Amino acid sequence: MRTQVAIVGAGPAGLTLAQLLHVAGIDSVVLEARSRDYVEARIRAGVLEHDVAELFVQAGVGERVRREGLVHTGVELQSGRERHRVAFDELTGRTIVVYGQTEVVKDLIAARLESGRPLLFDVEDVSLHDLESERPRVRFAHEGAEEELECEFVAGCDGFHGVSRPSVPAGILREFHREYPYGWLGILAAVAPSSDELVYAHTERGFALLSMRSPELSRLYLQCAPDEDLELWPDERIWEELQERLGVDGWTLHEGPILEKGVTPMRSFVVEPMQWRRLYLAGDAAHIVPPTGAKGLNLAVRDVAALAEALVAWYRDGHVALLEAYSETCLRRVWRAEHFSWWMTTMLHRAPEDDEFTLRLQQSQLRYLRTSRVAATSLAENYVGIEHA
Ligand code: FAS
Ligand code: PHB
């Protein structure tokens, strides 16, 4: 098998890259370890930055996000039992789109299959070879046969636990880590959202987030231990705790059947550089953010937008500068999102070791966001997606 770009991973990064390259006339092969059903059912992110939603439209896969995506002009920050709205449109002139990652992935897979270009599911034993040459190779097993894909570039879009990052020889990469002493217990519930906009709640019992997927589907999270045992959380207890944390006077959290529940641990992670010879890392393969800033999916798409632009420049006129600058270009934006995600997370969550001093700092920060337009604008511009990183 031969192609121009081998893409390892069919998550948002790999699938978006494949689509961007396809519309530019550059051939690729996408290799995915899991099944199509598994990848499409994985419930993860829920918020698209405006420019990311627009990128999908420009790339020819945005028809449904434009039709079904929920345009939001702000979010609510809750401190104790008091809420305050951060108006993105007034403060930045920009908005966000609430549209589940499951739907993004379905749209991208449908476009890939429509294109007729290779997207292989249930691939096994992927290994990367000759990354230092002009003809890297990707070996893998598929449908019982051993395969070898010759290419010119490899895009490592295989997430945090993928094979791409570990394929870089020891001593080349620097890794930056931050583990958090809490995680999120997330539920998907068949009940209309009890708020028109997202609510991020800081309470002495811990963080809670009210989000949504559609006018009929609610997505809610509550802070828990990173290794929380779901067995200890029957539906009744989840709703009771969400009522406690999100409750404000004159407002009711509507409950309904829980369709899915899971615990997500939290970490911050960055690898530098994000490229080595003919291997380019994108998305969670290169960085992880705690989901409090709704950045993970958006960072992944912005990485591959930069990579696609660089590859198009190389293939069209031999331009190497953008390829050589890929990592530096992405890392400026990645570190801005890392800081914002860390800041939102540590401001809104109550860590077990946090004392009263920390609680007062968090309450002061939230009060400052309520009273200062400058402070609110800083949060808003980071949340909707910041150009100058
Ligand atoms: P992904 O991990 O999505 O995709 C990588 C793909 O590579 C996967 O399909 C995997 O099966 C495949 N793969 C792995 N190893 C392979 C191999 N050896 N060979 C071939 N394929 C391989 N972000 C938010 O903004 N908000 C959220 O609420 C949120 N919640 C999350 C919850 C969880 C449990 C997780 C893990 C992440 C969450 N994220 C959230 C972040 C998430 O949305 C990621 O940022 C996003 O999926 C990144 O996309 P990719 O980089 O494509 O990586
Ligand atoms: C979601 O809807 O899944 C969601 C929204 C905002 C976040 C994280 C997750 O910050």
Side-chain angles (χ1 to χ4, degrees):
M1 291 173 78
R2 280 181 53 82
T3 188
Q4 289 171 296
V5 182
I7 300 174
V8 187
L15 292 165
T16 302
L17 179 60
Q19 178 64 11
L20 293 172
L21 294 177
H22 178 63
V23 296
I26 296 169
D27 197 42
S28 65
V29 173
V30 183
L31 304 174
E32 168 54 49
R34 310 301 294 252
S35 70
R36 176 178 178 183
D37 288 348
Y38 181 91
V39 171
E40 289 186 345
R42 225 173 8 199
I43 297 175
R44 284 184 167 169
V47 169
L48 301 181
E49 294 170 0
H50 175 269
D51 290 357
V52 168
E54 273 310 300
L55 179 145
F56 289 136
V57 172
Q58 299 306 319
V61 292
E63 190 269 329
R64 205 157 65 97
V65 68
R66 180 166 272 175
R67 191 176 69 244
E68 297 176 17
L70 305 173
V71 176
H72 281 204
T73 58
V75 296
E76 300 262 4
L77 293 182
Q78 179 175 326
S79 181
R81 301 185 73 80
E82 183 182 344
R83 284 186 189 164
H84 172 73
R85 184 167 185 270
V86 180
F88 296 151
D89 53 348
E90 284 169 35
L91 296 166
T92 69
R94 300 155 76 83
T95 58
I96 57 171
V97 179
V98 173
Y99 189 72
Q101 178 169 329
T102 51
E103 305 319 300
V104 169
V105 166
K106 285 174 192 167
D107 295 344
L108 288 163
I109 288 176
R112 187 64 177 175
L113 298 178
E114 174 71 24
S115 75
R117 303 312 300 145
L119 165 54
L120 280 58
F121 292 105
D122 299 309
V123 158
E124 297 173 293
D125 306 326
V126 172
S127 59
L128 311 186
H129 305 273
D130 301 331
L131 291 171
E132 299 179 66
S133 78
E134 293 182 357
R135 282 274 183 279
R137 289 172 298 115
V138 180
R139 288 204 188 116
F140 60 94
H142 187 242
E143 294 174 347
E146 295 299 318
E147 304 285 355
E148 181 166 284
L149 174 63
E150 199 178 287
C151 56
E152 289 158 0
F153 296 96
V154 180
C157 301
D158 45 353
F160 185 70
H161 300 290
V163 296
S164 297
R165 190 175 66 250
S167 298
V168 178
I172 305 277
L173 300 178
R174 277 194 69 189
E175 297 190 351
F176 303 83
H177 289 265
R178 175 67 54 90
E179 306 284 333
Y180 296 88
Y182 36 72
W184 280 6
L185 189 161
I187 64 169
L188 189 68
V191 61
S194 303
S195 163
D196 293 340
E197 294 179 328
L198 274 61
V199 180
Y200 287 81
H202 171 272
T203 80
E204 295 198 24
R205 296 173 70 97
F207 170 78
L209 170 60
L210 180 153
S211 185
M212 60 207 68
R213 286 295 178 272
S214 74
E216 300 77 31
L217 264 185
S218 289
R219 178 72 168 156
L220 296 122
Y221 299 92
L222 55 85
Q223 175 188 333
C224 64
D227 56 354
E228 190 72 39
D229 180 357
L230 267 182
E231 293 303 308
L232 304 178
W233 287 88
D235 294 4
E236 302 68 41
R237 184 185 175 199
I238 293 174
W239 285 116
E240 191 180 307
E241 190 59 33
L242 285 167
Q243 295 285 1
E244 281 291 336
R245 297 188 191 184
L246 288 165
V248 291
D249 300 342
W251 178 81
T252 305
L253 173 61
H254 301 299
E255 303 181 8
I258 293 179
L259 306 174
E260 195 271 345
K261 62 174 98 167
V263 173
T264 303
M266 282 194 189
R267 75 173 84 238
S268 297
F269 171 82
V270 180
V271 72
E272 293 185 359
M274 288 175 49
Q275 65 191 91
W276 184 68
R277 301 294 193 277
R278 288 293 175 109
L279 171 64
Y280 294 80
L281 301 174
D284 279 16
H287 42 71
I288 297 283
V289 286
T292 326
K295 287 297 154 201
L297 171 57
N298 294 292
L299 280 178
V301 173
R302 286 179 181 270
D303 285 349
V304 295
L307 182 54
E309 183 187 8
L311 288 167
V312 168
W314 191 85
Y315 277 106
R316 283 201 179 141
D317 54 22
H319 188 88
V320 296
L322 289 180
L323 273 178
E324 288 171 349
Y326 167 75
S327 178
E328 188 187 340
T329 303
C330 290
L331 284 170
R332 274 200 304 274
R333 171 176 31 79
V334 166
W335 278 111
R336 173 84 313 270
E338 288 285 346
H339 176 270
F340 176 65
S341 303
W342 164 83
W343 173 74
M344 283 282 279
T345 300
T346 51
M347 173 175 69
L348 290 165
H349 290 72
R350 299 281 292 135
E353 71 276 8
D354 281 355
D355 56 12
E356 286 296 300
F357 179 79
T358 304
L359 176 61
R360 294 290 181 272
L361 289 180
Q362 293 174 328
Q363 290 167 337
S364 169
Q365 178 71 48
L366 287 159
R367 189 163 44 247
Y368 181 42
L369 286 163
R370 283 199 300 274
T371 57
S372 161
R373 183 181 177 86
V374 170
T377 302
S378 174
L379 185 153
E381 75 166 1
N382 277 279
Y383 198 104
V384 300
I386 203 161
E387 279 319 305
H388 52 79

